[in-house]
Amino acid sequence: MRKTERYPVEGANSLWHIYKTVPFFKVVKNFTVIQLARYTPFLGMKNWLYRTLLRMEVGKQTAFALMVMVDIMFPERIRVGHNTVIGYNTTILAHEYLIDEYRLGDVTIGDEVLIGANTTILPGITIGNHAVVSAGTLVHKDVPAGTFVGGNPMKIIYTKEEMDARKESN
């Protein structure tokens, strides 16, 4: 189950309440920083931008590929471990605006995790150390450490034990 905080709204849908939940100039600043980071080919610069200007926790030697989109409103709620790869065009969300409520949740991605291209990670998710997420996956629940998951809906393809056995046989 995803770990999110729920905030009900009245009247118009929750997205109409956006600037009651996050300051306008924070969104403008975050948008500018994220767009710069999405296109820069320099991994060290991306990590510096994320750590310094967006207050994300990003481990050493973590690589965000081209076009990765981190949460524009609450990037400070995203933590990524060391030596992790976030694949091309992946989206990492820490918020979701619904009709009658909005939800916020921390996203924690462990150490030495591989996230395939075009993956979407929803708020309130934890991805354990050494996990592998297949390209195009919708991560809608926690991913146990060492497992290989994929699909929509996301399913476990190999457990940690099966992954360890596959590594030993190679």
Side-chain angles (χ1 to χ4, degrees):
M1 188 64 159
R2 294 190 294 134
K3 296 166 284 304
T4 58
E5 301 120 40
R6 302 169 78 158
Y7 299 93
V9 298
E10 292 183 15
N13 70 67
S14 65
L15 197 52
W16 277 98
H17 297 266
I18 187 171
Y19 298 118
K20 295 177 188 170
T21 62
V22 60
F24 173 77
F25 288 109
K26 177 184 177 187
V27 174
V28 170
K29 178 199 76 153
N30 290 354
F31 175 82
T32 304
V33 171
I34 290 166
Q35 289 305 313
L36 177 62
R38 289 183 81 193
Y39 292 97
T40 187
F42 306 110
L43 299 177
M45 177 187 264
K46 286 183 194 211
N47 291 351
W48 181 86
L49 289 167
Y50 291 148
R51 287 182 194 119
T52 306
L53 300 178
L54 300 182
R55 298 187 351 243
M56 289 172 53
E57 290 181 31
V58 178
K60 293 181 182 192
Q61 296 178 316
T62 284
F64 289 85
L66 182 70
M67 300 293 290
V68 170
M69 185 68 188
V70 299
D71 193 282
I72 195 167
M73 295 174 204
F74 301 97
E76 67 276 8
R77 296 191 73 151
I78 299 170
R79 288 186 285 293
V80 183
H82 76 273
N83 204 32
T84 288
V85 175
I86 311 293
Y88 173 83
N89 206 35
T90 289
T91 301
I92 306 171
L93 297 171
H95 78 275
E96 54 190 358
Y97 286 87
L98 307 171
I99 299 298
D100 56 359
E101 70 179 7
Y102 67 96
R103 298 177 190 165
L104 304 178
D106 295 335
V107 174
T108 303
I109 300 171
D111 297 333
E112 298 185 9
V113 171
L114 174 62
I115 308 288
N118 295 304
T119 292
T120 299
I121 301 169
L122 296 180
I125 295 296
T126 297
I127 300 174
N129 295 336
H130 306 284
V132 176
V133 178
S134 176
T137 298
L138 174 64
V139 183
H140 67 286
K141 59 185 174 181
D142 289 348
V143 177
T147 59
F148 176 39
V149 300
N152 185 6
M154 183 187 81
K155 296 178 186 168
I156 293 178
I157 297 170
Y158 294 112
T159 64
K160 180 184 182 326
E161 294 74 26
E162 291 169 330
M163 286 293 287
D164 290 342
R166 287 173 58 89
K167 287 178 187 174
E168 286 178 17
S169 68
N170 288 336

